[in-house]
C-alpha cells in the first residue's frame, strides 16, 4: 500500500501563526444528533448538494471583503464536513482558489467523524487540498460514546486514527473530559491511547450541559448523573500533566500541540485576525464588526438563490474589542499585554486592567511577567471567570 503523507505545507511557529486571514466554511449536516451538542446542523442531507452550491455563491458575493488579504487558513467545520463528497469538496475549492488570494502553503483543515474515515475516504481527502484532519473522537470507550450518542464506536475511534496516520501527518483529535462516572484511570487511558497513536495535536473540552440539549433533559429526568465540576477539574489537571510529560505545549486553554503543530486557524482567532464565515450560522470578523448568517438551512438557501446575504452585523465598540482581547488572550500562552492594551485601546483601559488585576494577582490567580498578564496554574481552570473580572463594564 502506498503511504501518502501530506507534508506540502509549512507549519508556522506560534509567533508566525495568525498572519493573514482565514475562511471558515460551515457544513451543517450530521448523521445523528450528539446529546451534548447545540451547534447548528441538520440530520437530513437532502439539501446538501444545493447548500454546497449556495456556499459557493456566498463566497462569490463576499469575495470583496477579503480582496486585498492573503488567505492562510481554510477550515471546514460543522456539523460533519467529512460527509462531503469529492465532487462537493472540489466545487468549493475551485471557487475559493479562483476568487481569493491564497497563500502558497495554506493550512486547510477538515473536521471528520471516525465512522466516515474509511481507507477509501482517506485516500480521497489526501488527494484533495486538505492537509490537516481534526477528528471528533471524544472518547475511546464504548459507554462514553453511547452516553454522548456519537455515530461511531470505540473500535472505529481507534482504527480511524491509526489509518489516518498513513495518509496525513497533521492530525488533531477532540477528547471530552468530565463525563459523568468517568474515573481518573479511564481518563488517563483515553490520553494514553491518543499518545500511542502518535497524534501531534489534541483539543480537549469539559463536557458542558447546554440549554435545550438532550443531555440537559436526561440530567433533569435523572437518567444521567449531573456534570461534576470537581471531577472535570481533576481530569483537567491530569490532562495538563500527562500531555506536558509527552512533549505537548499547552498553548490555549483547550488546545495542546507538539512543536510545529499548533492550529494556525484557531490561533488566528485568538490573535484577533480577520476571518470570513461562510454557511448557515457561520460568523465573520474584520476587526471592527462581527457578522453572522441565519442559522437555518432553508432560509439560507432561499436568500442566496435571490443573491441576498442572510447576514446580521454588529458594530464593535472599543470596549467590545477590549473585552474580547482580554477573553481570548487570557486563554492562550500569549497572555494580556499591558502595553498592547494601552496602545490598542487607550491608557484608561490599561489603567483599568491593572486596577482589576490587582486582586487576582494577590490571590495567585494571575501573574505579571514582563508586563504581560498570564493565568497561573492555580487559576487555569477559572480562566473564563478571571477574564470576566477584567472586563470593562460601561456605566449606563
Amino acid at each position: 500500500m502506498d503511504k501518502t503523507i501530506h507534508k506540502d505545507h509549512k507549519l508556522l511557529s506560534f509567533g508566525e501563526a495568525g498572519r493573514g486571514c482565514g475562511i471558515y466554511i460551515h457544513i451543517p449536516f450530521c448523521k445523528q444528533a450528539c446529546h451534548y451538542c447545540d451547534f447548528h446542523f441538520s440530520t437530513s442531507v437532502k439539501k446538501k448538494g444545493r447548500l454546497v452550491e449556495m456556499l459557493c455563491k456566498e463566497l462569490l458575493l463576499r469575495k470583496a471583503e477579503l480582496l486585498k488579504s492573503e488567505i492562510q487558513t481554510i477550515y471546514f467545520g460543522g456539523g460533519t464536513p467529512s460527509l462531503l463528497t469529492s465532487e462537493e469538496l472540489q466545487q468549493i475549492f475551485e471557487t475559493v482558489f479562483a476568487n481569493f488570494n491564497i497563500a502558497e502553503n495554506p493550512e486547510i483543515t477538515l473536521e471528520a467523524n471516525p465512522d466516515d474515515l474509511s481507507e477509501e475516504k482517506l485516500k480521497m481527502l489526501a488527494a484533495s487540498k486538505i492537509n490537516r484532519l481534526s477528528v471528533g473522537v471524544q472518547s475511546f470507550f464504548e459507554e462514553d460514546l453511547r452516553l454522548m450518542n456519537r455515530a461511531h464506536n470505540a473500535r472505529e475511534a481507534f482504527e480511524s486514527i491509526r489509518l489516518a496516520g498513513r495518509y496525513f501527518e497533521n492530525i488533531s483529535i477532540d477528547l471530552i473530559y468530565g463525563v459523568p462516572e468517568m474515573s481518573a484511570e479511564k481518563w488517563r487511558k483515553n490520553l494514553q491511547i491518543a499518545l500511542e497513536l502518535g497524534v501531534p495535536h489534541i483539543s480537549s473540552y469539559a463536557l458542558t450541559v447546554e440549554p435545550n440539549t438532550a443531555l440537559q433533559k436526561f440530567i433533569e429526568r435523572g437518567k444521567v448523573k449531573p456534570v461534576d465540576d470537581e471531577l472535570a477539574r481533576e481530569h483537567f489537571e491530569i490532562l495538563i500533566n500527562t500531555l506536558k510529560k509527552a512533549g505537548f505545549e499547552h498553548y490555549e486553554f483547550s488546545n495542546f500541540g507538539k512543536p510545529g503543530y499548533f492550529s494556525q486557524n484557531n490561533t488566528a482567532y485568538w490573535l484577533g485576525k480577520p476571518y470570513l464565515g461562510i454557511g448557515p450560522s457561520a460568523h465573520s470578523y474584520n476587526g471592527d464588526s462581527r457578522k453572522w448568517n441565519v442559522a437555518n438551512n432553508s432560509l439560507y438557501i432561499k436568500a442566496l438563490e435571490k443573491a441576498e446575504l442572510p447576514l446580521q452585523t454588529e458594530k464593535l465598540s472599543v470596549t467590545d474589542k477590549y473585552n474580547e482581547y482580554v477573553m481570548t488572550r487570557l486563554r492562550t500562552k500569549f497572555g494580556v499585554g499591558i502595553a498592547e492594551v494601552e496602545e490598542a485601546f487607550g491608557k484608561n483601559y490599561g489603567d483599568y486592567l491593572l486596577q482589576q488585576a490587582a486582586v487576582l494577582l494577590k490571590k495567585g490567580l494571575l501573574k505579571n511577567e514582563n508586563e504581560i498578564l498570564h493565568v497561573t496554574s492555580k487559576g487555569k481552570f477559572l480562566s473564563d471567570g478571571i477574564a470576566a473580572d477584567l472586563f470593562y463594564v460601561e456605566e449606563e
Side-chain angles (χ1 to χ4, degrees), residues 171 194-195 198-202 239-240 242-251 255-259 261-262:
I171 299 172
L195 295 175
V199 295
H201 189 279
I202 295 174
L239 174 69
I240 292 173
T242 301
L243 295 188
K244 182 179 180 180
K245 289 177 184 176
F248 285 74
E249 188 165 351
H250 189 192
Y251 70 102
N255 287 270
F256 303 76
K258 291 283 186 75
Y261 290 93
F262 301 162

Side-chain angles (χ1 to χ4, degrees), residues 3 65 100 106 115 121 170 211 219 221 233 280 297 310 324:
K3 186 176 181 181
E65 295 182 37
F100 294 85
D115 47 301
K121 185 76 171 189
N170 198 356
I219 291 174
R221 295 171 188 165
R233 186 193 294 268
N297 292 358
E324 187 157 315

Side-chain angles (χ1 to χ4, degrees), residues 137-163:
V137 170
Q138 314 310 355
S139 176
F140 290 102
F141 289 91
E142 203 70 47
E143 56 270 28
D144 299 334
L145 297 172
R146 283 197 299 267
L147 182 146
M148 299 177 201
N149 199 39
R150 296 292 293 171
H152 65 277
N153 58 40
R155 182 187 60 79
E156 289 170 325
F158 182 87
E159 285 299 316
S160 66
I161 305 305
R162 185 187 65 80
L163 197 56

